[in-house]
Every structure is written in C-alpha cells, then in structure tokens.
Amino acid sequence: MTLAQSFQRARQPEQITLRRKQLLAAAAELFDAEGPSGAGLNAIAAKAGFTKSNVYRYFESREQVLLELFRDEFVKLVDAMEATIGAQPSGDVPALAEAISTTFLAHPRCCALIAILTTTLEQNVSEDTIAATKLHMNAQTARIIAALTARLPGTTPADCGWAIAMIGTLLVGMWPNANPPPAARAVLARPEFKHVRMDLSRDLKRAAQALLQSIAWS
C-alpha cells in the first residue's frame, strides 16, 4: 500500500497542522531542487504521499502552498535580520549594509520566493490569502524597521521602512539575473560577457549602502 493509498483525512487541529507541515516540507524540497516549475501540486502531493485531491483539503492551490512556505521562510529571515542589525555599531552605515545584504543572501529560499511573490505566488489565490500574507509581511518587516531605526540615529521609521522596501525591490530584480537558468549561465561564463555578470554579494551590499547613506544624510 502506498502512502497516498493509506492517507487518512486529518480531523483534529494537530493532525491538520501535521498534514500542512508535510506538504510544506515537500514543497520546500522540490522548490530548492527545481524552482517553482518543479513544485507543482501533483509533484508536491506525490512527494508528501498525498493525492492531489487531498491537498485541496489544506491549501487552495499550489501558489498558496508556496505562499505559506514563503511566510515561514520570511519569519526566519526577519529573526536573523533583526539580530544582525542590532549587533552592529550605531551609525555604521557600511556595517549595516553588510549585515542586511549578507543576511538576505544567507536565506536563498526566501530570496527566491520573494523574487516571484507578485508574479507567481499571488496568482491563483484568493484576495483573503493575499491580504493575510501582506499583513504578515507588514508585521514582520516592522521588526526590521525598528531594529534599523535604533541603529541609525536621526532617521525615522518612515526613512528606514523606505530603505528596506527599496533594498527588497532591488533584490527582486537582481535575483533572477544572479541565478539564471543553465543555458544562460553557460553563456554568461564566456569572457565576452564578463561585464554583465552580476555579483549579488557585492552588488546588493553596494545598493544597500547607497540607500542607507541617503537616509543617514537626510
């Protein structure tokens, strides 16, 4: 008997939580290995030992599974970002830029999900699901803003919120270019294309430092 054949519908809250965690773990593994195209609902269901119809008991679509995965990963990112920013010397813009960029890049799954948030993850889901995700992001981002405001004397939460939003927006644009598909990666490895290769650890830090410096001077 396969896992899918032996599947029992969860009825208790703890059982439902367990089923959702199983699906999220399967989605994470597939997403890491194959990107969003490899994390389809059929593949997620098979990986977790479910049938596709059973998945719909817990998530409205493949995109909602990945949105839930993003929410979990975003909390991990924010936990690390809050701690790392708080450990930097007060007013040290280069150190803060390094902390922010390094922390982002230490969470590649979250970065990859952020990069497709509006183009993929917010498709095929309800308005309520999108609103819940954005409220979750607001609450978590407020922690980063508070940490950054405390480390940059003279700035306001509005200043720091703008800077963090702009850094995130730049990351969304940079990520696909820094992580191209295999054929494009092979082309970019050629000497004649050296000038267009992106070094994300360098470029995100430089962009973050410029943005933080702009509010530190204001």
Side-chain angles (χ1 to χ4, degrees):
M1 183 179 293
T2 66
L3 285 172
Q5 288 172 331
S6 64
F7 178 87
Q8 297 294 318
R9 180 177 180 180
R11 300 184 184 278
Q12 300 302 317
E14 61 273 15
Q15 294 175 323
I16 293 171
T17 298
L18 177 60
R19 296 286 192 274
R20 289 172 66 90
K21 286 183 177 179
Q22 289 172 324
L23 289 164
L24 291 172
E29 188 172 341
L30 290 165
F31 184 82
D32 290 349
E34 304 177 44
S37 63
L41 208 59
N42 283 323
I44 292 170
K47 188 76 173 176
F50 289 48
T51 63
K52 184 176 179 180
S53 61
N54 286 327
V55 177
Y56 287 118
R57 300 181 189 276
Y58 308 102
F59 294 99
E60 63 188 80
S61 63
R62 180 280 294 254
E63 288 77 15
Q64 192 188 27
V65 178
L66 294 178
L67 270 178
E68 188 71 22
L69 179 63
F70 163 69
R71 289 174 62 165
D72 289 349
E73 294 298 320
F74 195 61
V75 171
K76 296 175 187 175
L77 170 71
V78 172
D79 287 345
M81 188 84 73
E82 184 180 44
T84 305
I85 289 173
Q88 304 311 309
S90 180
D92 191 335
V93 169
L96 288 165
E98 174 79 27
I100 290 169
S101 59
T102 299
T103 304
F104 267 122
L105 300 185
H107 295 79
R109 183 187 295 159
C110 190
C111 290
L113 288 163
I114 289 172
I116 61 169
L117 179 61
T118 58
T119 57
T120 300
L121 303 190
E122 292 183 347
Q123 306 295 320
N124 198 30
V125 292
S126 66
E127 289 185 16
D128 286 346
T129 296
I130 295 172
T133 300
K134 292 190 179 300
L135 288 171
H136 174 79
M137 292 177 68
N138 285 348
Q140 294 301 318
T141 303
R143 296 168 53 199
I144 301 177
I145 293 169
L148 185 57
T149 305
R151 294 289 91 195
L152 277 179
T155 61
T156 66
D159 291 332
C160 292
W162 172 83
I164 291 297
M166 291 302 99
I167 294 168
T169 300
L170 287 171
L171 175 67
V172 167
M174 291 177 175
W175 190 262
N177 292 322
N179 297 275
R185 188 179 303 116
V187 170
L188 290 172
R190 299 175 186 175
E192 62 267 35
F193 298 115
K194 182 179 179 180
H195 65 290
V196 296
R197 293 178 208 154
M198 180 167 287
D199 181 341
L200 198 53
S201 61
R202 176 199 65 198
D203 297 335
L204 186 60
K205 178 185 173 182
R206 290 179 67 176
Q209 185 167 332
L211 287 163
L212 295 181
Q213 195 67 67
S214 74
I215 63 172
W217 283 344
S218 62

